[in-house]
Structure formats: structure tokens, C-alpha cells
Amino acid sequence: MAPLADLYQVSMAYGHWRAGRHRAPAAAELFFRRPPFRGSFALGAGLAEGLRGLRAFRFSAADVAYLRSVLPSTTDDAFFDYLGTLDASEVTVTAIPEGSVVFPRVPFLQVKGPLLVVQLLETTLLCLVNYASLVATNAARFRLLAGPDMKLMEMGLRRAQGPDGALSASKYSYIGGFDCTSNILAGKLYGIPVRGTIAHSFVMSFRGLEEVQPRELPPRDGGDPVDLAGLAVSWLQRVCDLLQTPPGKANQGELAAFVSYAVTFPCDFQGLLDTYCVRRSGLPNFCAVAFALHQLGYQAIGVRLDSGDLAQQSKEIRGVFRACGAHFHVPWFGTIPIAVSNDISEQSLEEFRREGSEIDMIGIGTNLVTCPLQPSLGCVYKLVEVNGSPCLKLTEDEEKMTIPGMKAIYRLYDATGHPFMDLMALEEEPSPSAGQELGIRVLGQLGETTKVIPTTVEPLHRTYFRDGQVCEPLPSLPEVRTHAQVSLSLLSPAHRRLHEPQPYPV
């Protein structure tokens, strides 16, 4: 894992080694300066991957040989020998649990250990945490907009920044609140539920019912196979009569595709309605095949729309389903789930909510995995202590100033159970307690002292890594996902809202 670093980290390591200060005890913090997407919070993610990286941290003989080839020829040979002995056995990491809500300037991770190793870990940890937290936060925003009952599917594999970005997007959007992914490799590696039926190309590949093979399907409860294509044709006439649309307008290739798919997956039949025309073709063709399946004891699982006014179409489709269900005495037909996709964004979800819709499931790709509203979280990793002395970065850019010293981090809750402030104190200061009046200075208002009395005080950091090993049991991915939703639900509405939220004080 060691080569996942920038060259300047190794150059600095050589400088520390030459100066004989490479083993000086040091501490660094990983945090972000501004909340992403103009909100108030981020979801901290990537901790488990970071810990795995620490456990694997070492320079192989091949790594050392490569570094010999890129560092100046004047580099002391003994330094390369020293690199070959390095590991993370003297490193300690404390962190906020993965999936927690994290606020600007509050350290998500704190790293202690020998100065040379602490600095070499910078890029590795930033790489593993930055995008993970960004996409988890983006997913959480979609979940908040969609509400708790809407099914959300991540489908950004083909649009992501390469296979690594795609896998990370699938994993961390699941933590952020998505229900499933189209990415089968993510399903295999991480146990995320996978979903997927057909695309337009499947529908377009058929021209007529004569292409459907096999055509017959046995009833679900047993018996002789039935010609599903013939059954669907008879149902098409009845559906078109009800909908007052000519059967001749229903595309025969589309009907063939639906029949072929239904014969292949009779218990998982979902229709993609917008290849040709939803109202005149896709909808009657789907209903015909769904009723044919129903006659044999099967139940269609849904439809999908991928173009047009999705909210309005969903309402029209729901009306048709209810009318068909009532007319043909099939009660479940009116509740067939409606899924949508097509470049869904936060704005899309806001429009669905504003206009009202009958949508049950939303597939989101590009606007989830590429995070176009903010392509980077901007986490930084800064030294805060060396040899027991606090480190402070002073700069003309006030935002880039660092807060010196090793800290303990607390979350303060009010009487309603909402967190109202995160408190950073020096490690050696006494811990605050519930009901105690605290004199605090809010970051950005350093000239003012305020008094607060928390109802509950929660220490945020836990020790996750010590002596070269992960020392705290790591939760499963579903457990992290659940923790994220609980963490979000505790926020007050003023801090949780996505537009112009009330700033959360630290």
C-alpha cells in the first residue's frame, strides 16, 4: 500500500531521516474546511479502507528499487534500507465512526506515530477518505430528498471515473442510503443488493412475435405449458378496448420482447415502456403480457420509464393500472411499482415532490457518481503536533490556518435530542459533562466567548488502530448504512435541510 503516495511525501521523509528526526512523535488530523454541496454536513466514509491500508503499509523490495530510480542519485543508500523496514506498527488512529455526520474543521481522523510514517500516510488516507465521504454525502442528499420510502438504485458504473471510481461509488452510495446497485462486481465484493432487467436495445432487437422462442410457459401451480404469445395477443385486444387505443399502434417487436422476457423470467417481469410510445404501445403491450402472466399465476414486478415528463407519466400510468385492475378484477394491478431513470438530479427529485408523482423507485447514475455539483470534498491532512509541541499553520488565507494541538472531540446535544454543537478541546483538558456550563469560542467568532449547557455529551473519537492492528470491531456495510441514517435523523431540520441550512457551530 505504501506506493499510493505523492513523491514529495518520500522527499520529505528523506529530509526527516537525514536530520535524524524521523522518529520524533507526531500527530496529524484529517478534516475538511467547508461543507460540500452548500449544505451543513458531510458523511464520513472510507475509514475501513483507510485502516486496511494502514495494516498493509510497507515498502516491498520492488517499491524500494523503484524509488531508487526516481529519487536523486545523491540519496543515501541507507535511507532505502530504512524504507524497507517501515510499517505502521507504531501508529495509532482515532476516528469518528464511519457513516457519522461530520462537520467542517472537525477531525474525522487523528493519526499519531513517528513523524516520517505519519507524513508518508497523508496521501493514502486522503485518497481513501475524500471521494468516499463525498459520494456518501451526495447519496445522503438524494435520500433526504426522496424520503425514507422511495427505493433508490445506483446505476452509474458506465459513467463513473474508471472502475475504481465506479466500485467506490456503488459502495459509498449504499452507505449514504441507496438500496441497491446495478454493478454486479460491487454486489459480489461488498454484498450490496443488485438489480437490473432490460434496456431499450433488448426491445429494439425484436421485430415480431415469430422471433419469440420458446413461447410456452407452464402455469405457476403446474399443468401443461401455454402459448404465452397467443395469450398476450388476446389480452392486448381487451386492454386496447378499455384504453380506447388501436391495437395496431402497439409495436409488435416490443410485444415480442416483453413476451420473450416474460417467458424467461416469469416471476420477475418488468416492462420498459418508452422505447416507442408509452401511451399507444409500451403501456398496452405491458398490460397485455402482465395479464397473460397473471392468468397463469404469475405477477409482474413493475415498469420503468427512461424519458419524458417522468412525474406526469407516472400519474397517467398509475391511472391506467388502477382502471385495468378494477375492470379485470385484479386488485394488485393498481399497485404495480413504477421505476424511473434518465439523468436524475437533485432538481429532478425536488420537481417530483413539488408536482406529485406515482414513482416508487428511482435509478440515479451520472449525478450521483460524478458529484457534478462539487467534484471534490477537499479533505486536508495537517500536522498538529511534533515532539510534544503544537504545530500551527499561519497564513494570509484565514481559512487555511490550522488549529494546533491534539484534541478530544465531543458532540453536544440539546434537550430535544438534536446535536447543536461540536466541541474541540485539548486532549489534556477535562471532559465536559451533561448539565455543565461550558465556556466556548465558536470557530469564526474567536473574539467572543459563549456559555452553553448540553443535555448530553458524546465523545466522538474511538481508537481504531494500534500496534499495527485494527483494535475496534468494524461494523458491516449494512450496519454503517444504518448508522448513517440514524446520524442524519438526529440532526435538527435547520441543519439537515439541503438549501441554505443553518450553519452548525464548532
Side-chain angles (χ1 to χ4, degrees):
M1 200 70 184
L4 188 62
D6 294 303
L7 183 60
Y8 72 85
Q9 305 292 348
V10 182
S11 301
M12 289 194 294
Y14 182 53
H16 290 315
W17 182 84
R18 285 277 292 177
R21 58 201 307 270
H22 51 291
R23 292 194 50 76
E29 295 175 343
L30 187 152
F31 60 93
F32 59 93
R33 295 186 175 107
R34 281 179 284 180
F37 310 113
R38 298 184 179 179
S40 71
F41 66 87
L43 275 188
L47 174 61
E49 288 295 329
L51 296 173
R52 277 190 275 271
L54 282 170
R55 198 167 51 194
F57 175 80
R58 59 188 50 84
F59 288 91
S60 68
D63 298 332
V64 173
Y66 175 72
L67 289 173
R68 283 182 187 272
S69 72
V70 295
L71 286 175
S73 58
T74 54
T75 305
D76 194 323
D77 280 346
F79 172 66
F80 296 110
D81 295 335
Y82 179 71
L83 287 182
T85 69
L86 287 181
D87 58 26
S89 58
E90 296 180 78
V91 170
T92 299
V93 174
T94 65
I96 298 174
E98 188 162 12
S100 298
V101 169
V102 187
F103 298 100
R105 312 290 296 198
V106 176
F108 177 40
L109 295 172
Q110 294 180 314
V111 183
K112 298 180 184 178
L115 176 59
L116 183 147
V117 176
V118 167
Q119 294 226 281
L120 279 175
L121 292 172
E122 175 177 353
T123 302
T124 300
L125 291 174
L126 285 172
C127 178
L128 295 174
V129 167
N130 248 317
Y131 178 68
S133 299
L134 183 73
V135 77
T137 306
N138 200 26
R141 291 173 64 88
F142 278 109
R143 170 52 69 197
L144 288 171
L145 283 168
D149 300 324
M150 180 74 72
K151 294 294 183 184
L152 294 178
M153 176 178 177
E154 178 273 317
M155 46 191 298
L157 174 58
R158 66 188 62 192
R159 303 288 173 81
Q161 283 88 343
D164 293 338
L167 283 170
S168 293
S170 299
K171 180 178 183 178
Y172 295 112
S173 62
Y174 184 66
I175 285 177
F178 274 58
D179 298 286
C180 54
T181 179
S182 65
N183 185 342
I184 57 174
L185 184 55
K188 176 187 174 186
L189 294 176
Y190 308 129
I192 302 170
V194 292
R195 297 288 184 273
T197 52
I198 58 173
H200 294 106
S201 58
F202 183 85
V203 178
M204 294 160 59
S205 70
F206 287 83
R207 290 292 176 267
L209 288 169
E210 67 279 359
E211 297 176 355
V212 178
Q213 291 295 334
R215 301 165 59 98
E216 294 186 331
L217 180 67
R220 188 165 191 175
D221 293 334
D224 294 332
V226 175
D227 180 4
L228 187 66
L231 201 57
V233 169
S234 66
W235 271 105
L236 181 62
Q237 182 65 57
R238 298 169 69 183
V239 168
C240 286
D241 288 346
L242 177 64
L243 301 183
Q244 297 183 331
T245 184
K249 294 289 186 181
N251 186 282
Q252 288 297 294
E254 182 179 58
L255 180 62
F258 288 175
V259 170
S260 180
Y261 192 76
V263 169
T264 309
F265 296 102
C267 296
D268 298 279
F269 173 58
Q270 183 186 46
L272 179 59
L273 303 188
D274 66 325
T275 306
Y276 302 110
C277 174
V278 173
R279 178 72 188 183
R280 295 194 304 271
S281 183
L283 192 50
N285 276 334
F286 168 80
C287 291
V289 176
F291 279 121
L293 282 173
H294 170 73
Q295 191 171 330
L296 300 181
Y298 302 95
Q299 185 168 323
I301 65 168
V303 297
R304 181 164 71 92
L305 296 168
D306 191 51
S307 60
D309 186 334
L310 300 174
Q312 181 60 34
Q313 287 186 95
S314 74
K315 289 186 280 189
E316 293 172 359
I317 290 167
R318 179 67 68 213
V320 168
F321 286 167
R322 287 172 177 153
C324 286
H327 184 78
F328 297 114
H329 308 292
V330 182
W332 61 262
F333 209 85
T335 62
I336 290 175
I338 299 172
V340 301
S341 51
N342 187 29
D343 206 26
I344 304 292
S345 64
E346 285 190 9
Q347 183 180 350
S348 305
L349 267 64
E350 290 169 339
E351 290 171 357
F352 295 162
R353 188 166 58 184
R354 186 167 57 248
E355 298 172 13
S357 81
E358 290 289 341
I359 296 168
D360 301 289
M361 183 174 186
I362 301 174
I364 308 177
T366 305
N367 288 299
L368 173 64
V369 304
T370 66
C371 302
L373 296 180
Q374 181 173 326
S376 174
L377 178 56
C379 283
V380 294
Y381 180 96
K382 299 297 180 185
L383 277 179
V384 294
E385 191 173 285
V386 175
N387 253 334
S389 297
C391 298
L392 170 64
K393 178 182 177 182
L394 284 171
T395 172
E396 293 180 0
D397 186 346
E398 185 175 332
E399 185 183 59
K400 289 197 169 186
M401 291 175 61
T402 59
I403 304 170
M406 281 303 297
K407 305 167 194 70
I409 317 295
Y410 306 93
R411 184 154 291 169
L412 310 183
Y413 292 81
D414 60 24
T416 64
H418 297 306
F420 68 89
M421 178 177 292
D422 280 9
L423 177 67
M424 295 191 286
L426 289 174
E427 212 172 30
E428 61 269 19
E429 289 186 89
S431 301
S433 56
Q436 174 189 1
E437 185 178 77
L438 304 172
I440 57 95
R441 286 187 166 91
V442 177
L443 289 179
Q445 306 169 23
L446 294 183
E448 304 173 16
T449 301
T450 306
K451 301 291 186 181
V452 297
I453 302 176
T455 301
T456 306
V457 176
E458 177 190 14
L460 287 185
H461 273 225
R462 301 179 191 173
T463 300
Y464 280 97
F465 193 87
R466 184 187 288 122
D467 301 328
Q469 295 298 322
V470 177
C471 57
E472 170 97 4
L474 295 180
S476 67
L477 203 63
E479 288 170 336
V480 175
R481 181 179 184 269
T482 298
H483 173 67
Q485 297 309 305
V486 171
S487 189
L488 286 165
S489 70
L490 291 175
L491 288 180
S492 71
H495 294 135
R496 191 169 57 235
R497 66 174 179 249
L498 304 187
H499 299 296
E500 299 182 355
Q502 181 179 318
Y504 184 89
V506 175

